[in-house]
Amino acid sequence: GQQLNQSPQSMFIQEGEDVSMNCTSSSIFNTWLWYKQDPGEGPVLLIALYKAGELTSNGRLTAQFGITRKDSFLNISASIPSDVGIYFCAGSTPTGKLIFGQGTTLQVKP
Amino acid sequence: NAGVTQTPKFQVLKTGQSMTLQCAQDMNHEYMSWYRQDPGMGLRLIHYSVGAGITDQGEVPNGYNVSRSTTEDFPLRLLSAAPSQTSVYFCASRPNQGAYGYTFGSGTRLTVV
């Protein structure tokens, strides 16, 4: 079946540092999405990418849809304490299935 | 708008009991999905639906049934609960055109003892 490999599994950084995480797949997806989950809540959409090669920003967040359509990365610049949470990549298939990576747990030290 | 509403928020079942997790959305979204979340496993797709009357299996469908009689509701049924089904369950929905991001409910935490 389709699987997404997300790395790193966890990160512990100092406030103000930049963060990078990525996601790879053995399958092609037509849409890549990045979500953030806070404790006790459902995931919330951060960025959606619809075209291979697309680079999209949302404030301090930047994400790219890989040219091969099998990978994506998310960068967070100048991290702040409220960036703490679990970040998930997800790939959407033409049939409407949304498959998630295992998640990256981010901790930010003030 | 309430968005995606899941009930109950917490549930404890005994092995072998049955129950239905409810999910309702008021955004007229065609697509709806159920996920389970376990530590270190991310969110795994159980079942999904692209419209009323249409359902399909996801990655981990065994032990779960779904139906989609209306656009608004997508209940998830556990016919005979097992300890392996202890998890946090999320329902999500999105329109079939335009933005592809699913909107998630706040989850149901299920414990099977």
Side-chain angles (χ1 to χ4, degrees), chain B residues 59-98:
Chain B
E59 304 166 271
V60 288
N62 293 339
Y64 307 95
N65 283 347
V66 292
S67 60
R68 184 93 180 274
S69 56
T70 66
T71 298
E72 294 78 18
D73 300 299
F74 191 41
L76 179 71
R77 298 184 187 85
L78 286 71
L79 297 180
S80 179
S84 61
Q85 294 178 304
T86 293
S87 187
V88 181
Y89 291 85
F90 288 100
C91 179
S93 73
R94 74 162 174 89
N96 70 342
Q97 294 185 12

Short mmCIF file of all heavy atoms in Angstrom, two decimals, chain B residues 59-98:
data_model
loop_
_atom_site.label_atom_id
_atom_site.label_comp_id
_atom_site.label_asym_id
_atom_site.label_seq_id
_atom_site.Cartn_x
_atom_site.Cartn_y
_atom_site.Cartn_z
N GLU B 59 -6.54 1.97 4.91
CA GLU B 59 -5.37 1.13 5.22
C GLU B 59 -5.68 0.06 6.27
O GLU B 59 -5.11 -1.04 6.24
CB GLU B 59 -4.24 2.01 5.75
CG GLU B 59 -3.81 3.14 4.83
CD GLU B 59 -2.95 4.14 5.59
OE1 GLU B 59 -3.50 5.10 6.19
OE2 GLU B 59 -1.71 3.96 5.60
N VAL B 60 -6.55 0.38 7.24
CA VAL B 60 -6.79 -0.53 8.36
C VAL B 60 -8.28 -0.71 8.60
O VAL B 60 -8.82 -0.34 9.64
CB VAL B 60 -6.08 -0.02 9.65
CG1 VAL B 60 -4.58 -0.20 9.54
CG2 VAL B 60 -6.43 1.45 9.92
N PRO B 61 -9.04 -1.33 7.67
CA PRO B 61 -10.50 -1.39 7.78
C PRO B 61 -11.03 -2.52 8.66
O PRO B 61 -12.21 -2.48 9.06
CB PRO B 61 -10.92 -1.62 6.33
CG PRO B 61 -9.79 -2.42 5.76
CD PRO B 61 -8.54 -1.88 6.41
N ASN B 62 -10.19 -3.53 8.96
CA ASN B 62 -10.70 -4.71 9.66
C ASN B 62 -11.22 -4.37 11.05
O ASN B 62 -10.55 -3.71 11.83
CB ASN B 62 -9.61 -5.77 9.75
CG ASN B 62 -9.25 -6.34 8.40
OD1 ASN B 62 -10.02 -6.25 7.45
ND2 ASN B 62 -8.07 -6.92 8.30
N GLY B 63 -12.43 -4.86 11.35
CA GLY B 63 -13.04 -4.62 12.65
C GLY B 63 -13.95 -3.41 12.70
O GLY B 63 -14.54 -3.12 13.73
N TYR B 64 -14.04 -2.70 11.57
CA TYR B 64 -14.84 -1.47 11.50
C TYR B 64 -15.80 -1.52 10.31
O TYR B 64 -15.44 -2.01 9.25
CB TYR B 64 -13.95 -0.24 11.33
CG TYR B 64 -12.85 -0.11 12.35
CD1 TYR B 64 -11.56 -0.58 12.06
CD2 TYR B 64 -13.06 0.51 13.58
CE1 TYR B 64 -10.53 -0.46 12.97
CE2 TYR B 64 -12.02 0.64 14.49
CZ TYR B 64 -10.77 0.15 14.19
OH TYR B 64 -9.74 0.29 15.08
N ASN B 65 -17.01 -1.00 10.53
CA ASN B 65 -17.96 -0.83 9.43
C ASN B 65 -18.39 0.62 9.35
O ASN B 65 -18.43 1.33 10.37
CB ASN B 65 -19.21 -1.69 9.65
CG ASN B 65 -18.95 -3.16 9.34
OD1 ASN B 65 -17.94 -3.50 8.73
ND2 ASN B 65 -19.86 -4.00 9.76
N VAL B 66 -18.72 1.05 8.14
CA VAL B 66 -19.23 2.41 7.95
C VAL B 66 -20.41 2.36 6.98
O VAL B 66 -20.59 1.40 6.24
CB VAL B 66 -18.18 3.38 7.39
CG1 VAL B 66 -17.07 3.64 8.39
CG2 VAL B 66 -17.61 2.86 6.07
N SER B 67 -21.19 3.43 7.02
CA SER B 67 -22.24 3.65 6.03
C SER B 67 -22.37 5.16 5.84
O SER B 67 -21.97 5.94 6.71
CB SER B 67 -23.57 3.05 6.47
OG SER B 67 -23.98 3.65 7.71
N ARG B 68 -22.90 5.57 4.71
CA ARG B 68 -23.06 7.01 4.44
C ARG B 68 -24.43 7.21 3.79
O ARG B 68 -24.58 7.25 2.58
CB ARG B 68 -21.95 7.48 3.49
CG ARG B 68 -21.98 8.99 3.22
CD ARG B 68 -21.09 9.73 4.17
NE ARG B 68 -21.11 11.16 3.93
CZ ARG B 68 -20.33 11.79 3.05
NH1 ARG B 68 -19.47 11.09 2.29
NH2 ARG B 68 -20.39 13.09 2.92
N SER B 69 -25.45 7.30 4.64
CA SER B 69 -26.81 7.45 4.12
C SER B 69 -27.14 8.92 3.82
O SER B 69 -28.05 9.20 3.03
CB SER B 69 -27.82 6.88 5.10
OG SER B 69 -27.68 7.50 6.38
N THR B 70 -26.43 9.85 4.44
CA THR B 70 -26.65 11.26 4.18
C THR B 70 -25.30 11.94 3.95
O THR B 70 -24.25 11.39 4.32
CB THR B 70 -27.34 11.99 5.34
OG1 THR B 70 -26.44 12.00 6.47
CG2 THR B 70 -28.64 11.30 5.73
N THR B 71 -25.31 13.12 3.35
CA THR B 71 -24.07 13.87 3.16
C THR B 71 -23.45 14.27 4.49
O THR B 71 -22.24 14.31 4.66
CB THR B 71 -24.33 15.13 2.32
OG1 THR B 71 -24.81 14.74 1.04
CG2 THR B 71 -23.07 15.96 2.14
N GLU B 72 -24.31 14.56 5.49
CA GLU B 72 -23.85 15.13 6.75
C GLU B 72 -23.19 14.13 7.69
O GLU B 72 -22.31 14.49 8.47
CB GLU B 72 -25.01 15.80 7.49
CG GLU B 72 -25.60 17.02 6.79
CD GLU B 72 -26.51 16.65 5.64
OE1 GLU B 72 -26.97 15.47 5.57
OE2 GLU B 72 -26.76 17.50 4.77
N ASP B 73 -23.64 12.86 7.67
CA ASP B 73 -23.26 11.92 8.72
C ASP B 73 -22.42 10.77 8.17
O ASP B 73 -22.70 10.23 7.10
CB ASP B 73 -24.50 11.37 9.41
CG ASP B 73 -25.33 12.46 10.05
OD1 ASP B 73 -24.78 13.13 10.95
OD2 ASP B 73 -26.48 12.65 9.64
N PHE B 74 -21.45 10.34 8.97
CA PHE B 74 -20.57 9.23 8.57
C PHE B 74 -20.20 8.46 9.83
O PHE B 74 -19.10 8.60 10.36
CB PHE B 74 -19.34 9.78 7.86
CG PHE B 74 -18.50 8.73 7.17
CD1 PHE B 74 -19.07 7.68 6.46
CD2 PHE B 74 -17.11 8.82 7.20
CE1 PHE B 74 -18.30 6.74 5.81
CE2 PHE B 74 -16.32 7.88 6.54
CZ PHE B 74 -16.92 6.84 5.85
N PRO B 75 -21.08 7.62 10.35
CA PRO B 75 -20.79 6.89 11.59
C PRO B 75 -19.83 5.73 11.38
O PRO B 75 -19.82 5.10 10.31
CB PRO B 75 -22.17 6.38 12.01
CG PRO B 75 -22.94 6.28 10.74
CD PRO B 75 -22.44 7.39 9.86
N LEU B 76 -19.05 5.45 12.40
CA LEU B 76 -18.09 4.33 12.40
C LEU B 76 -18.54 3.32 13.45
O LEU B 76 -18.68 3.66 14.61
CB LEU B 76 -16.69 4.84 12.74
CG LEU B 76 -15.57 3.79 12.81
CD1 LEU B 76 -15.23 3.29 11.40
CD2 LEU B 76 -14.32 4.36 13.47
N ARG B 77 -18.72 2.07 13.02
CA ARG B 77 -19.23 1.04 13.93
C ARG B 77 -18.14 0.03 14.27
O ARG B 77 -17.45 -0.47 13.39
CB ARG B 77 -20.41 0.32 13.29
CG ARG B 77 -21.59 1.22 13.02
CD ARG B 77 -22.78 0.44 12.48
NE ARG B 77 -23.84 1.34 12.06
CZ ARG B 77 -23.90 1.91 10.87
NH1 ARG B 77 -22.97 1.64 9.97
NH2 ARG B 77 -24.88 2.73 10.57
N LEU B 78 -18.05 -0.27 15.56
CA LEU B 78 -17.22 -1.37 16.04
C LEU B 78 -18.19 -2.46 16.47
O LEU B 78 -18.96 -2.29 17.40
CB LEU B 78 -16.36 -0.95 17.22
CG LEU B 78 -15.15 -0.04 16.95
CD1 LEU B 78 -15.55 1.38 16.59
CD2 LEU B 78 -14.22 -0.04 18.17
N LEU B 79 -18.18 -3.58 15.77
CA LEU B 79 -19.17 -4.63 16.03
C LEU B 79 -18.81 -5.46 17.25
O LEU B 79 -19.68 -5.89 18.00
CB LEU B 79 -19.31 -5.53 14.81
CG LEU B 79 -19.85 -4.82 13.55
CD1 LEU B 79 -19.94 -5.80 12.40
CD2 LEU B 79 -21.20 -4.18 13.83
N SER B 80 -17.52 -5.70 17.47
CA SER B 80 -17.05 -6.49 18.60
C SER B 80 -15.69 -5.94 19.01
O SER B 80 -14.67 -6.33 18.45
CB SER B 80 -16.95 -7.97 18.23
OG SER B 80 -16.49 -8.73 19.33
N ALA B 81 -15.70 -5.02 19.96
CA ALA B 81 -14.48 -4.28 20.29
C ALA B 81 -13.38 -5.19 20.82
O ALA B 81 -13.64 -6.15 21.56
CB ALA B 81 -14.79 -3.19 21.30
N ALA B 82 -12.15 -4.86 20.43
CA ALA B 82 -10.96 -5.59 20.88
C ALA B 82 -9.97 -4.59 21.47
O ALA B 82 -9.96 -3.42 21.07
CB ALA B 82 -10.33 -6.33 19.71
N PRO B 83 -9.13 -5.04 22.40
CA PRO B 83 -8.14 -4.12 22.99
C PRO B 83 -7.26 -3.43 21.94
O PRO B 83 -6.81 -2.30 22.16
CB PRO B 83 -7.32 -5.03 23.90
CG PRO B 83 -8.29 -6.10 24.31
CD PRO B 83 -9.13 -6.35 23.10
N SER B 84 -7.02 -4.10 20.81
CA SER B 84 -6.20 -3.50 19.75
C SER B 84 -6.87 -2.28 19.11
O SER B 84 -6.22 -1.54 18.37
CB SER B 84 -5.91 -4.53 18.66
OG SER B 84 -7.11 -4.99 18.08
N GLN B 85 -8.14 -2.09 19.39
CA GLN B 85 -8.86 -0.93 18.85
C GLN B 85 -8.82 0.27 19.81
O GLN B 85 -9.42 1.31 19.52
CB GLN B 85 -10.30 -1.29 18.52
CG GLN B 85 -10.39 -2.30 17.37
CD GLN B 85 -11.81 -2.71 17.05
OE1 GLN B 85 -12.54 -3.19 17.94
NE2 GLN B 85 -12.21 -2.55 15.82
N THR B 86 -8.11 0.13 20.91
CA THR B 86 -7.86 1.27 21.79
C THR B 86 -7.04 2.29 21.01
O THR B 86 -5.95 1.98 20.53
CB THR B 86 -7.10 0.83 23.05
OG1 THR B 86 -7.95 -0.01 23.83
CG2 THR B 86 -6.68 2.05 23.87
N SER B 87 -7.58 3.51 20.87
CA SER B 87 -6.94 4.50 20.02
C SER B 87 -7.69 5.81 20.13
O SER B 87 -8.72 5.91 20.81
CB SER B 87 -6.94 4.01 18.56
OG SER B 87 -6.17 4.86 17.74
N VAL B 88 -7.18 6.81 19.44
CA VAL B 88 -7.91 8.06 19.26
C VAL B 88 -8.41 8.08 17.83
O VAL B 88 -7.63 7.87 16.89
CB VAL B 88 -7.04 9.29 19.54
CG1 VAL B 88 -7.86 10.57 19.37
CG2 VAL B 88 -6.45 9.23 20.95
N TYR B 89 -9.70 8.31 17.66
CA TYR B 89 -10.33 8.26 16.35
C TYR B 89 -10.69 9.67 15.90
O TYR B 89 -11.29 10.44 16.64
CB TYR B 89 -11.58 7.38 16.39
CG TYR B 89 -11.25 5.93 16.60
CD1 TYR B 89 -11.06 5.41 17.88
CD2 TYR B 89 -11.10 5.07 15.51
CE1 TYR B 89 -10.73 4.09 18.08
CE2 TYR B 89 -10.77 3.74 15.69
CZ TYR B 89 -10.59 3.25 16.98
OH TYR B 89 -10.25 1.94 17.16
N PHE B 90 -10.33 9.98 14.65
CA PHE B 90 -10.64 11.28 14.07
C PHE B 90 -11.48 11.11 12.82
O PHE B 90 -11.20 10.26 11.97
CB PHE B 90 -9.36 12.04 13.70
CG PHE B 90 -8.60 12.56 14.89
CD1 PHE B 90 -7.49 11.88 15.36
CD2 PHE B 90 -8.99 13.73 15.52
CE1 PHE B 90 -6.78 12.36 16.46
CE2 PHE B 90 -8.29 14.22 16.61
CZ PHE B 90 -7.19 13.52 17.08
N CYS B 91 -12.47 11.96 12.72
CA CYS B 91 -13.28 12.07 11.52
C CYS B 91 -12.88 13.35 10.80
O CYS B 91 -12.53 14.35 11.45
CB CYS B 91 -14.76 12.10 11.89
SG CYS B 91 -15.89 12.26 10.50
N ALA B 92 -12.93 13.34 9.47
CA ALA B 92 -12.53 14.52 8.70
C ALA B 92 -13.40 14.62 7.46
O ALA B 92 -13.93 13.62 6.97
CB ALA B 92 -11.05 14.43 8.32
N SER B 93 -13.51 15.83 6.93
CA SER B 93 -14.31 16.03 5.71
C SER B 93 -13.69 17.11 4.84
O SER B 93 -12.93 17.97 5.32
CB SER B 93 -15.75 16.43 6.06
OG SER B 93 -15.81 17.77 6.54
N ARG B 94 -14.02 17.06 3.55
CA ARG B 94 -13.60 18.12 2.62
C ARG B 94 -14.54 18.13 1.43
O ARG B 94 -15.19 17.13 1.13
CB ARG B 94 -12.16 17.91 2.15
CG ARG B 94 -11.94 16.80 1.15
CD ARG B 94 -10.60 17.00 0.45
NE ARG B 94 -10.22 15.92 -0.44
CZ ARG B 94 -10.55 15.87 -1.74
NH1 ARG B 94 -11.28 16.81 -2.29
NH2 ARG B 94 -10.13 14.86 -2.47
N PRO B 95 -14.61 19.26 0.72
CA PRO B 95 -15.40 19.29 -0.52
C PRO B 95 -14.69 18.50 -1.60
O PRO B 95 -13.49 18.26 -1.51
CB PRO B 95 -15.47 20.79 -0.87
CG PRO B 95 -14.29 21.39 -0.19
CD PRO B 95 -14.04 20.58 1.04
N ASN B 96 -15.40 18.09 -2.65
CA ASN B 96 -14.76 17.28 -3.69
C ASN B 96 -14.06 18.13 -4.72
O ASN B 96 -13.34 17.61 -5.55
CB ASN B 96 -15.78 16.36 -4.37
CG ASN B 96 -16.77 17.12 -5.23
OD1 ASN B 96 -16.94 18.32 -5.07
ND2 ASN B 96 -17.44 16.42 -6.12
N GLN B 97 -14.22 19.43 -4.67
CA GLN B 97 -13.52 20.30 -5.60
C GLN B 97 -12.94 21.48 -4.84
O GLN B 97 -13.37 21.81 -3.76
CB GLN B 97 -14.47 20.80 -6.69
CG GLN B 97 -14.97 19.72 -7.61
CD GLN B 97 -15.81 20.27 -8.74
OE1 GLN B 97 -15.84 21.48 -8.97
NE2 GLN B 97 -16.50 19.40 -9.45
N GLY B 98 -11.94 22.08 -5.46
CA GLY B 98 -11.33 23.24 -4.81
C GLY B 98 -10.27 22.81 -3.84
O GLY B 98 -9.47 21.93 -4.13
#
